[in-house]
Amino acid sequence: MLSRTLQRLTQGELIERERAMDFPHATTYRLAPPARELLTVMAPAAE
């Protein structure tokens, strides 16, 4: 379930995925610029 959600968020360009090439392979996810912008705009509404 988590992998499907991460895949959808990546395809929707809300998160970015980075995979390390060394062993052991580590995958890192971070918010994409459009998602960061959305959070900035929505923060006042959440408060």
Side-chain angles (χ1 to χ4, degrees), residues 1 3-15:
M1 189 69 174
S3 61
R4 275 191 271 163
T5 301
L6 290 170
Q7 185 178 26
R8 282 194 307 249
L9 290 170
T10 303
Q11 289 172 348
E13 298 181 0
L14 292 175
I15 61 172

Side-chain angles (χ1 to χ4, degrees), residues 6-32:
L6 290 170
Q7 185 178 26
R8 282 194 307 249
L9 290 170
T10 303
Q11 289 172 348
E13 298 181 0
L14 292 175
I15 61 172
E16 298 173 338
R17 180 179 186 247
E18 183 179 320
R19 184 165 181 182
M21 290 303 186
D22 55 343
F23 188 82
H25 299 292
T27 304
T28 306
Y29 293 91
R30 67 176 155 269
L31 289 176

